[in-house]
Amino acid sequence: MVEQAETLRRTPLSRDRVLHSAVALADQAGIESLSMRNLAQELGVVPMALYKHVANKDELLDGMIDVVVGEIDPPLAGTGWQPALRARILSARQVLRRHPWAPLAIESRNMATPAILAYIDSTIEILLTDGFSTDLTHHVMHALGSRVLGFSQELFDTARDAGRTGAADPIPPAALPPEVAARFPHVAAIATAAAHDDTTVVGAGCDDQFEFEFALDLLLDGIDRLRQQGWTST
Amino acid sequence: MVEQAETLRRTPLSRDRVLHSAVALADQAGIESLSMRNLAQELGVVPMALYKHVANKDELLDGMIDVVVGEIDPPLAGTGWQPALRARILSARQVLRRHPWAPLAIESRNMATPAILAYIDSTIEILLTDGFSTDLTHHVMHALGSRVLGFSQELFDTARDAGRTGAADPIPPAALPPEVAARFPHVAAIATAAAHDDTTVVGAGCDDQFEFEFALDLLLDGIDRLRQQGWTST
DNA sequence: AATCTAGGTGTACGGCGTACACCTGTCAAG
DNA sequence: CTTGACAGGTGTACGCCGTACACCTAGATT
């Protein structure tokens, strides 16, 4: 009976189970507490067991990224490039908001995983099939940069430390303390201007989603203008 | 004589020396080999000595970021907002190209250091003093995102692993291997189109600086258009 | 029945950040 | 001239990390 319990104590572990557990752990506890040891414990297994399914921690991270990128919706068909691209990027953004650790993980792994390449490939396809030149498409991809994956690195990123200590954190986004407001008057001007909107608390008065779409549309409009004037070379 | 050698063996260490040594080490050997132990060795000192000058490694990183941000040129005076902003951002970019580890470090430290706040403050000032509303300024800062600090996170970042193994690395940027070109035809189309420019080797045919300025100007032009049409609300 | 093998285990190593007790040279106050 | 405080460098030790490597074991294959 001990043998039975040991024998069928778990669905037997697999690369997929490892990857999804890792994603869940990073979502809940923050990426900085994702260690091979913690992950193994979560799975009721000894740390070295993981190495039968992923080569090492870097490959684990790559796998986690692929899981996340795989959650992004496929492109819309039958619309123009602009709605299709816009919808796709906003879908990517929604996905990444569920996995706040992902942007940093993606950026730090400095080469594209197959899933990211596939995502980029199908994104490029949106443009090419709507008549963009390869040159313009290339520049457009650079212009969008990481926004194409749903994130822009905000200098004040509130989402990054989601998870971690649980919801008990008593600190609201900390409407800048008076001494910094004094030293940096223009930052303060912007912050307080944003704060007296209708949003909940004083410090948080900045609608991330709105800002993201604002910047995205600014780019998309500029791109459309280039295209309509038959963009050629520099 | 041993005593003398020991007594004046080094300029006596200071927060500044620690910080600048750390930056130099990260520049040369890559951020991943910047450990308290390595840094101490570089300075001819025992690891714990560093803690008399920086509270811990996180604070060390913050200090390094401040060193880097401090290298960015101050804003141009007497020009319009657009040349001033453009020049500043390109200066920031130049600085960050000397310190390839910095973008990731900045992004991972999720809160602004005083130097970054000062930089942002004076950048906002450029816009406000040229008549931008606080609202538009706010959105503009979000639209620029990290580009305001001179970097956009490219999905294929070649600059990130500068330093590290020295210049002995025999691998050129690896003009995508045929099997990935087959699986991702649109990526391949873009890449090969870029490759037959006049640039050195086949794989590297993508001018980062041009792409950065292209995207930057796309944004700046869009912003200018908003401003000239007296941008009000959503 | 013998063997192979996929997959979980246990031990151990070197590196990391850093807490904490300690020493030592300098310099000001008595 | 002594004394004692203190700034700053030292040494040891702890707990965490990733992971190499040898081992075991249950089921499938021959």
Side-chain angles (χ1 to χ4, degrees):
Chain A
M1 131 199 204
V2 168
E3 289 155 17
Q4 271 196 15
E6 274 177 6
T7 302
L8 34 100
R9 66 181 168 288
R10 286 262 177 205
T11 52
L13 206 51
S14 70
R15 183 176 164 91
D16 240 54
R17 247 167 63 74
V18 169
L19 259 33
H20 281 87
S21 265
V23 168
L25 182 55
D27 287 348
Q28 294 164 20
I31 190 75
E32 76 284 350
S33 47
L34 175 75
S35 65
M36 298 303 270
R37 290 165 144 96
N38 283 347
L39 178 55
Q41 185 165 16
E42 202 78 5
L43 287 160
V45 111
V46 86
M48 286 311 293
L50 302 175
Y51 288 84
K52 290 283 155 63
H53 301 277
V54 296
N56 50 46
K57 191 173 181 182
D58 280 357
E59 215 219 51
L60 173 72
L61 283 171
D62 283 347
M64 292 169 65
I65 290 172
D66 284 358
V67 167
V68 167
V69 173
E71 292 177 11
I72 303 174
D73 290 339
L76 292 178
T79 69
W81 69 271
Q82 195 158 358
L85 190 50
R86 188 171 199 276
R88 193 133 211 250
I89 291 178
L90 291 180
S91 165
R93 175 170 170 79
Q94 244 181 325
V95 168
L96 288 208
R97 288 175 71 85
R98 293 200 295 268
H99 309 294
W101 49 270
L104 212 91
I106 291 172
E107 288 168 40
S108 60
R109 302 233 40 63
N110 84 21
M111 201 33 198
T113 67
I116 287 189
L117 277 177
Y119 173 79
I120 291 177
D121 195 74
S122 69
T123 304
I124 292 175
E125 186 177 20
I126 294 174
L127 297 169
L128 292 180
T129 64
D130 207 346
F132 279 65
S133 74
T134 54
D135 259 15
L136 182 53
T137 302
H138 182 188
H139 300 320
V140 164
M141 294 302 288
H142 276 279
L144 289 169
S146 66
R147 223 176 295 262
V148 82
L149 269 171
F151 62 97
S152 48
Q153 48 319 40
E154 311 289 347
L155 279 344
F156 331 85
D157 198 340
T158 60
R160 190 96 78 208
D161 41 4
R164 190 139 71 225
T165 60
D169 220 336
I171 308 167
L176 31 150
E179 81 270 14
V180 314
R183 294 217 330 185
F184 309 111
H186 307 104
V187 170
I190 300 302
T192 59
H196 60 49
D197 288 354
D198 57 352
T199 31
T200 51
V201 270
V202 57
C206 168
D207 183 339
D208 283 350
Q209 184 68 26
F210 175 82
E211 298 301 340
F212 185 86
E213 297 193 22
F214 179 92
L216 177 57
D217 288 337
L218 197 53
L219 280 166
L220 291 181
D221 288 349
I223 290 162
D224 198 45
R225 207 167 299 107
L226 288 181
R227 196 183 81 111
Q228 281 176 358
Q229 67 199 36
W231 192 85
T232 58
S233 129
T234 149
Chain B
M1 133 200 204
V2 169
E3 288 154 16
Q4 271 194 15
E6 274 176 4
T7 302
L8 31 101
R9 68 182 168 284
R10 287 260 177 207
T11 51
L13 207 55
S14 72
R15 184 176 163 90
D16 241 54
R17 249 168 63 73
V18 169
L19 258 33
H20 281 86
S21 265
V23 168
L25 182 55
D27 287 348
Q28 293 163 22
I31 190 74
E32 76 284 350
S33 48
L34 174 76
S35 66
M36 298 303 270
R37 290 166 144 96
N38 283 347
L39 178 55
Q41 186 164 15
E42 203 77 7
L43 287 160
V45 111
V46 87
M48 287 311 293
L50 303 175
Y51 289 85
K52 290 281 156 63
H53 301 276
V54 297
N56 50 47
K57 189 171 183 182
D58 280 356
E59 215 219 50
L60 174 72
L61 284 171
D62 283 347
M64 293 169 64
I65 289 171
D66 284 358
V67 167
V68 168
V69 174
E71 293 178 10
I72 303 174
D73 289 338
L76 293 178
T79 68
W81 69 273
Q82 196 158 357
L85 190 51
R86 188 171 198 276
R88 193 133 212 250
I89 292 178
L90 291 180
S91 165
R93 176 169 171 80
Q94 244 181 323
V95 169
L96 289 209
R97 287 175 72 85
R98 293 200 295 269
H99 308 294
W101 48 270
L104 212 93
I106 292 172
E107 288 168 41
S108 61
R109 304 231 39 64
N110 84 22
M111 201 33 199
T113 68
I116 287 189
L117 277 176
Y119 174 80
I120 292 176
D121 195 73
S122 68
T123 304
I124 292 174
E125 189 178 17
I126 294 173
L127 297 168
L128 291 180
T129 64
D130 206 348
F132 278 65
S133 74
T134 54
D135 258 16
L136 181 54
T137 302
H138 181 189
H139 300 320
V140 164
M141 295 301 289
H142 276 279
L144 289 170
S146 66
R147 224 175 294 261
V148 83
L149 270 171
F151 61 97
S152 48
Q153 48 321 38
E154 312 289 348
L155 279 344
F156 332 85
D157 198 340
T158 60
R160 188 96 78 209
D161 41 4
R164 189 140 71 226
T165 59
D169 221 338
I171 307 167
L176 30 150
E179 80 271 15
V180 314
R183 293 217 331 185
F184 309 113
H186 307 102
V187 171
I190 300 301
T192 59
H196 59 50
D197 288 354
D198 57 352
T199 32
T200 52
V201 271
V202 57
C206 168
D207 183 341
D208 284 349
Q209 184 68 26
F210 175 81
E211 297 301 340
F212 186 85
E213 297 193 23
F214 179 92
L216 176 57
D217 289 337
L218 197 54
L219 279 165
L220 291 181
D221 288 349
I223 289 161
D224 196 46
R225 207 167 298 108
L226 287 180
R227 197 182 80 112
Q228 280 177 359
Q229 68 197 37
W231 193 84
T232 58
S233 125
T234 150

